């Protein structure tokens, strides 16, 4: 089995898992696996899929860190722009440029914060699904080969 086939299978499982229960998703996975392989090849295929699911789980754990995304530096630069604009307002500077800087900093922080939260949620869910899948395959590996 090549890596592309396993990646497609993991994406199928993820889509099934988001749409249905874990039991139904694993049943669909098993049907696809049996139609693709049999005997010793099926056992090898299940080991490979389990290994890939474990690795993908750890990769998504890494990506859930806010330091791995471009939005963090953008958020921090928007924060600096907002803080400097507010500081200028307190010192009596009330030009249109300061107002624009204040609003741009605030909007930039909100947008980057929303993007970071969306990334955290997506990667946390994918990590949990792949970890659950690897655990199910580990636990029921003997049951699949019967």
């Amino acid at each position: 089995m090549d890596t592309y086939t396993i990646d497609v299978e993991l994406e199928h499982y993820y889509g099934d898992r988001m749409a249905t229960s874990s039991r139904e998703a694993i049943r669909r996975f098993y049907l696809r696996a049996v139609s693709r392989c049999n005997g010793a090849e099926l056992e090898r295929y299940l080991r490979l899929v389990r290994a890939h699911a474990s690795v993908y789980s750890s990769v998504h754990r890494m990506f859930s860190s806010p330091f791995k995304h471009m939005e963090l530096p953008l958020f921090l630069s928007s924060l600096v722009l907002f803080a400097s604009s507010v500081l200028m307002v307190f010192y009596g500077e009330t030009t249109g440029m300061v107002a624009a800087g204040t609003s741009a900093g605030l909007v930039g922080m909100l947008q980057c914060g929303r993007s970071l939260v969306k990334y955290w949620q997506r990667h946390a869910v994918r990590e949990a699904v792949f970890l659950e899948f690897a655990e199910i395959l580990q636990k029921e590996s003997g049951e699949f080969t019967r």
Side-chain angles (χ1 to χ4, degrees):
M1 284 291 136
D2 60 343
T3 304
Y4 179 75
T5 305
I6 294 171
D7 289 344
V8 168
E9 188 59 48
L10 287 172
E11 288 302 317
H12 275 294
Y13 177 79
Y14 177 73
D16 290 344
R17 180 63 181 95
M18 291 292 100
T20 62
S21 68
S22 65
R23 185 177 201 148
E24 178 66 19
I26 199 73
R27 186 186 70 78
R28 290 179 184 179
F29 163 75
Y30 178 65
L31 290 174
R32 286 190 302 268
V34 167
S35 69
R36 188 172 283 136
C37 323
N38 59 16
E41 187 179 337
L42 177 63
E43 189 175 323
R44 180 177 171 273
Y45 176 70
L46 293 175
R47 276 197 321 267
L48 283 172
V49 171
R50 182 177 58 231
H52 277 253
S54 296
V55 168
Y56 287 176
S57 172
S58 64
V59 165
H60 283 288
R61 175 179 279 293
M62 179 191 70
F63 277 136
S64 66
S65 169
F67 301 111
K68 306 289 183 199
H69 298 285
M70 183 62 194
E71 281 76 9
L72 184 67
L74 292 173
F75 177 82
L76 293 175
S77 63
S78 296
L79 178 66
V80 168
L81 178 64
F82 179 74
S84 62
S85 297
V86 167
L87 189 64
M88 289 178 73
V89 167
F90 283 132
Y91 282 117
E93 187 70 34
T94 57
T95 62
M97 187 65 92
V98 173
T102 306
S103 62
L106 184 62
V107 168
M109 285 188 316
L110 291 174
Q111 286 296 101
C112 291
R114 286 180 48 208
S115 294
L116 280 172
V117 167
K118 200 171 13 173
Y119 280 136
W120 288 336
Q121 288 175 343
R122 184 176 70 207
H123 288 297
V125 167
R126 288 181 74 87
E127 174 194 354
V129 166
F130 289 141
L131 188 61
E132 172 192 57
F133 187 47
E135 288 173 357
I136 288 172
L137 287 177
Q138 178 70 31
K139 189 170 38 175
E140 299 179 2
S141 63
E143 194 173 298
F144 284 132
T145 56
R146 288 183 194 167

